[in-house]
Amino acid sequence: MNKEESLRAHAKNHIACFIDKCPLHETCLNWMTAQYNDGEIHIVTCVNPHYPKVGTKQCTMYQKDETVRYAIGMMHIFDTIPYPIARSVKRRLINLFSRKRFYEYRNGVRPIPPYEQDQIARTFKEEGWDGEINYDDWKEDYNW
């Protein structure tokens, strides 16, 4: 997915910012997605321009347009791990993320953001696994 496709796909569900005079607007995801809100949408959730520091270099709503590496799917994450460790890790991950979210991650329905990849790696390590953690695939996208 290229930059424009990603921004267009998130425009309807992402916080919009219409403050064109903001010094950070050219690198802010909130402002960038707002440019893809067309006249078909009647109501848009947006940044309050009167909130302190909004529209300044210290904007509290600023979201940098940097890409991160998302893991996709973990169907084979337990294949090379001893069963007792795999069972314990799976139980802990379900408790950490919820059963629904765990299976969305496992089946590749929901991309796994970097900070949750770190939580997964920490859980494996705490349960005694120091080996490699193999996800099914990877994709680059904005840190939504």
Side-chain angles (χ1 to χ4, degrees):
M1 185 179 299
N2 68 29
K3 180 178 181 176
E4 185 176 337
E5 290 171 344
S6 183
L7 292 171
R8 188 176 305 282
H10 285 87
K12 292 181 181 179
N13 301 318
H14 194 72
I15 296 172
C17 179
F18 299 102
I19 306 171
D20 294 331
K21 293 181 181 177
C22 177
L24 303 173
H25 80 272
E26 289 184 12
T27 59
C28 181
L29 283 177
N30 296 328
W31 185 83
M32 294 167 113
T33 54
Q35 306 315 301
Y36 291 94
N37 278 314
D38 51 25
E40 295 178 16
I41 303 170
H42 291 91
I43 299 172
V44 177
T45 301
C46 66
V47 174
N48 179 356
H50 303 294
Y51 192 77
K53 296 186 181 179
V54 167
T56 68
K57 286 187 178 184
Q58 294 84 32
C59 181
T60 55
M61 296 301 297
Y62 176 69
Q63 191 171 0
K64 186 159 177 55
D65 67 335
E66 62 188 1
T67 58
V68 294
R69 193 170 183 217
Y70 287 89
I72 306 295
M74 23 186 230
M75 293 295 283
H76 303 286
I77 201 166
F78 299 116
D79 288 357
T80 60
I81 299 170
Y83 178 73
I85 293 175
R87 183 181 60 204
S88 181
V89 167
K90 181 179 177 182
R91 180 181 42 79
R92 286 187 58 193
L93 292 178
I94 288 171
N95 287 336
L96 179 65
F97 299 129
S98 82
R99 181 172 299 278
K100 179 182 179 196
R101 173 80 42 102
F102 171 81
Y103 281 103
E104 288 174 342
Y105 285 160
R106 177 185 167 268
N107 297 335
V109 174
R110 180 187 294 261
I112 307 167
Y115 66 92
E116 293 194 352
Q117 294 170 37
D118 293 341
Q119 290 178 313
I120 291 169
R122 190 170 35 258
T123 302
F124 273 92
K125 191 171 190 97
E126 288 171 359
E127 292 299 326
W129 179 255
D130 289 328
E132 189 176 346
I133 299 171
N134 297 313
Y135 295 100
D136 298 343
D137 201 4
W138 298 91
K139 82 170 189 173
E140 296 278 329
D141 198 1
Y142 291 113
N143 192 12
W144 300 104

